[in-house]
């Protein structure tokens, strides 16, 4: 059953210093990322938060669609205006880590993980994804939009998704209070943002420990071509590039546009 997001319950539970204090809620919207992208610089403040109960043109990575059932899940975006204009992939992964930690605590320990670069896996199925977009004004960086889609209360998926997608409710076996879940998640995202801003090395280590395949020999597609050799996944560096040990003992560094991991 679809339900409308209750902003007052959400705000009562929210315990952040700045994230989500300014909220734009819409019953229906094309896409929360597109909405925050289209605002002028003057309308943007750090931590501005946009949420909808129904996206009509939700976007995923690689120009895919992101479609979810109305009033069941969480589809939201956050605008950040960091002083540091680099390391965005690390910030995306820091948000992924906040989600994974929340799921591990809420559903059961070690049930969630990050599928690099930005999928959220729960009991071996996808439960969420992140779409990060930078907005420029001319050549000048203006804002970073981090959009998050999480399957929360959805009970059924189409035939093509059934085997590979799940929701928090399906895995926990009960209905989830979306407002409470989101408020707690934003508290965690704000905390991870602060670690990211301070360039805490512990953040990278924790992200790495939560990436599927970390420390293992995995298959790799480079520019869409499957490689014959396996590579050992060493984790991300401080810029978010993926470091892989090759069979010759050398370390190769890849950006997320270049490669896809093939893990079991
Ligand atoms: C992916 O797994 O491909 C990323 C999915 C990201 C979906 C979210 S939902 C909120 C925000 N608005 C969008 O249009 N996309 C992101």
């Amino acid at each position: 059953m679809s339900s409308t997001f209750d902003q007052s319950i959400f705000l009562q539970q929210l315990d952040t210093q700045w994230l989500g204090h300014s909220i734009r809620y819409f019953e229906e919207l094309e896409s929360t990322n597109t909405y925050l992208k289209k605002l002028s610089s003057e309308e943007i403040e750090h931590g501005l938060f946009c949420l909808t109960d129904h996206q009509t043109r939700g976007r995923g990575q690689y120009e895919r669609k992101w479609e979810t059932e109305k009033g069941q899940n969480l589809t939201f975006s956050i605008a950040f205006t960091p002083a540091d204009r680099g390391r965005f992939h690390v910030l995306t992964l820091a948000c992924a880590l906040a989600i994974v930690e929340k799921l591990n605590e809420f559903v059961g320990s070690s049930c969630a993980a990050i599928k690099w670069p930005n999928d959220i896996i729960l009991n071996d199925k996808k439960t969420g994804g992140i779409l990060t977009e930078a907005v420029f004004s001319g050549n000048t960086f203006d804002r970073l939009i981090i959009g998050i889609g999480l399957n929360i209360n959805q009970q059924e998926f189409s035939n093509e998704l059934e085997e590979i997608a799940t929701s928090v409710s399906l895995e926990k076996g009960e209905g989830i209070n979306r407002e409470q879940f989101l408020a707690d998640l934003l508290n965690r995202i704000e905390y991870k943002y602060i670690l990211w801003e301070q360039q805490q090395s512990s953040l990278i280590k924790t992200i790495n420990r939560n990436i599927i395949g970390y420390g293992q020999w995995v298959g790799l597609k480079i520019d869409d071509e499957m490689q014959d050799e396996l590579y050992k996944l060493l984790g991300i560096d401080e810029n978010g590039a993926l470091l892989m040990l090759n069979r010759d003992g050398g370390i190769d560094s890849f950006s997320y546009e270049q490669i896809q991991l093939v893990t079991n």
Side-chain angles (χ1 to χ4, degrees):
M1 202 183 59
S2 147
S3 69
T4 304
F5 187 83
D6 190 326
Q7 290 184 68
S8 62
I9 297 181
F10 165 70
L11 288 170
Q12 274 164 25
Q13 305 283 332
L14 191 67
D15 190 25
T16 55
Q17 287 167 32
W18 44 268
L19 179 54
H21 285 202
S22 194
I23 171 169
R24 308 280 169 92
Y25 167 77
F26 301 90
E27 262 182 42
E28 187 173 283
L29 193 65
E30 180 185 347
S31 147
T32 53
N33 264 39
T34 307
Y35 175 84
L36 289 181
K37 273 175 90 174
K38 283 186 180 165
L39 292 182
S40 67
S41 307
E42 293 71 38
E43 291 171 293
I44 290 288
E45 60 185 277
H46 185 58
L48 176 62
F49 176 74
C50 176
L51 172 85
T52 185
D53 268 322
H54 186 217
Q55 280 192 145
T56 53
R57 294 184 66 184
R59 296 182 289 112
Q61 285 183 69
Y62 312 111
E63 303 190 1
R64 293 191 194 121
K65 288 185 193 159
W66 181 261
E67 288 174 336
T68 62
E69 262 176 36
K70 191 175 180 171
Q72 298 283 350
N73 300 315
L74 288 170
T75 45
F76 62 93
S77 303
I78 305 165
F80 293 104
T81 57
D84 183 346
R85 271 104 221 261
R87 304 186 297 116
F88 293 157
H89 293 311
V90 180
L91 183 56
T92 302
L93 286 161
C95 292
L97 177 63
I99 299 168
V100 162
E101 288 181 350
K102 166 75 186 163
L103 291 171
N104 281 338
E105 195 183 290
F106 189 70
V107 183
S109 66
S110 307
C111 64
I114 303 167
K115 184 172 173 205
W116 189 88
N118 34 12
D119 284 348
I120 308 299
I121 304 298
L122 181 57
N123 290 334
D124 300 324
K125 291 182 172 180
K126 180 162 172 170
T127 195
I130 304 181
L131 177 66
T132 298
E133 297 178 288
V135 177
F136 291 83
S137 159
N139 286 332
T140 317
F141 168 78
D142 189 69
R143 77 199 76 143
L144 192 72
I145 311 293
I146 297 198
I148 299 178
L150 282 176
N151 298 330
I152 301 289
N153 279 321
Q154 191 160 331
Q155 299 299 306
E156 284 172 9
F157 291 89
S158 61
N159 286 348
E160 70 186 291
L161 290 182
E162 207 173 39
E163 295 291 308
I164 52 170
T166 191
S167 70
V168 181
S169 168
L170 281 173
E171 300 307 315
K172 188 153 165 90
E174 60 188 59
I176 311 300
N177 180 315
R178 288 187 301 155
E179 293 79 2
Q180 218 166 349
F181 188 96
L182 181 62
D184 185 51
L185 182 58
L186 290 198
N187 296 340
R188 289 165 189 264
I189 290 178
E190 183 181 82
Y191 181 64
K192 295 296 180 209
Y193 181 90
I194 294 163
L195 297 182
W196 174 79
E197 201 174 34
Q198 295 172 344
Q199 303 199 33
Q200 297 269 347
S201 57
S202 63
L203 176 64
I204 304 275
K205 286 185 191 141
T206 320
I207 288 170
N208 283 335
R209 278 201 301 272
N210 283 277
I211 293 179
I212 293 171
Y214 174 59
Q216 295 167 17
W217 291 92
V218 297
L220 204 60
K221 269 189 190 172
I222 304 179
D223 296 328
D224 247 357
E225 220 167 282
M226 191 68 208
Q227 305 299 298
D228 297 333
E229 303 267 309
L230 294 177
Y231 287 73
K232 189 170 186 177
L233 205 170
L234 301 178
I236 57 161
D237 66 13
E238 65 281 3
N239 294 311
L242 199 64
L243 303 176
M244 306 291 277
L245 180 70
N246 60 41
R247 286 281 180 194
D248 300 329
I251 296 176
D252 297 327
S253 154
F254 296 101
S255 72
Y256 95 104
E257 291 89 356
Q258 289 173 300
I259 60 161
Q260 274 176 287
L261 291 180
V262 184
T263 53
N264 291 322

